[in-house]
Amino acid sequence: MQSRSEPGFRDFDLPGVAPSRQKRSHQTTLALLRAGADMLRRRNLAELSIEALCTEVGVTVGAFYSRFESKDAYFNALMALAARDGEQRLGDIRPPSADTSLDKLCHVIVGGVIGWMRDHEGVLRAALQHDDTRPDKWTPFKALAQATTARATPLLLPAMGKGRKAAKTRAIAFGFQVVLGTLVNAILNDPGPLSLSSKEMESRLAGCLLLLLQAEAGQSTPR
């Protein structure tokens, strides 16, 4: 079965990417995208050589440029596929049962966000590193972060009890700002003590989100 981080053939309908009519051509495009995403885990975008990428895949530079208009178009395709994967994962989230605890919800949602970031770590880091000079690079992921908060809010609100909906919604938004900010810092700077790959990162961040939401849920409703 195809993993969540691997783009399917239908995903190649992207600006700057030449459509492929034959299965073999599709496979070459897929191999180039996979290899680039993997290489970006170990180097930045400026260090990603088209020649080295083609050598890794076993194709000519001409084969690369017959599929991608430029290196920029290639990276835009990597970003678009990562964003589409995130959108698909959001769409797959099903409403929890009424008795699902806030603790469990926080762990499930934070674990899903971290799983997506791990799958696309190199592409996300490259987008962040180019955010200052090319603000458009990070825009799809900013939108995805907002969509994640919007999708998670109606899942978390019922577990926070009745009343004070606006304040609780605000607390959820801030909680995700904390979670996503921590993960972005881990991807970009890896300052420690926990890295993106650490299982403890999941439990610690889910715990932070839980404490923030519990504190808000415990506030009394003004009379």
Side-chain angles (χ1 to χ4, degrees), residues 91-122:
D92 288 345
I93 297 176
R94 295 291 177 261
S97 60
D99 61 346
T100 304
S101 69
L102 186 60
D103 185 359
K104 183 175 181 180
L105 286 171
C106 288
H107 279 80
V108 169
I109 293 171
V110 170
V113 171
I114 292 178
W116 172 74
M117 286 192 164
R118 285 173 179 160
D119 284 345
H120 303 284
E121 182 178 359

Side-chain angles (χ1 to χ4, degrees), residues 52-125:
L53 173 65
C54 292
T55 298
E56 179 75 16
V57 176
V59 299
T60 65
V61 172
F64 175 90
Y65 284 108
S66 70
R67 290 166 172 80
F68 304 98
E69 293 177 359
S70 63
K71 185 177 178 179
D72 247 10
Y74 173 75
F75 183 57
N76 287 339
L78 285 174
M79 286 198 303
L81 293 174
R84 286 184 186 184
D85 181 46
E87 291 164 1
Q88 181 62 49
R89 294 187 195 212
L90 283 179
D92 288 345
I93 297 176
R94 295 291 177 261
S97 60
D99 61 346
T100 304
S101 69
L102 186 60
D103 185 359
K104 183 175 181 180
L105 286 171
C106 288
H107 279 80
V108 169
I109 293 171
V110 170
V113 171
I114 292 178
W116 172 74
M117 286 192 164
R118 285 173 179 160
D119 284 345
H120 303 284
E121 182 178 359
V123 176
L124 294 175
R125 183 183 300 110

Side-chain angles (χ1 to χ4, degrees), residues 192-209:
L194 303 179
S195 66
L196 185 67
S197 61
S198 170
K199 185 66 178 176
E200 189 180 352
M201 176 70 88
E202 293 184 39
S203 60
R204 291 285 186 182
L205 273 183
C208 284
L209 180 61

Side-chain angles (χ1 to χ4, degrees), residues 20 28 35 39 49 62 67 90 95 97 99 102 109 112 119 132 148 155 163 166 172 179 191 201 207 212 223:
S20 302
T28 298
M39 291 169 76
S49 158
R67 290 166 172 80
L90 283 179
S97 60
D99 61 346
L102 186 60
I109 293 171
D119 284 345
D132 290 338
T148 300
L155 305 179
I172 292 171
V179 168
M201 176 70 88
L212 279 168
R223 294 184 181 278

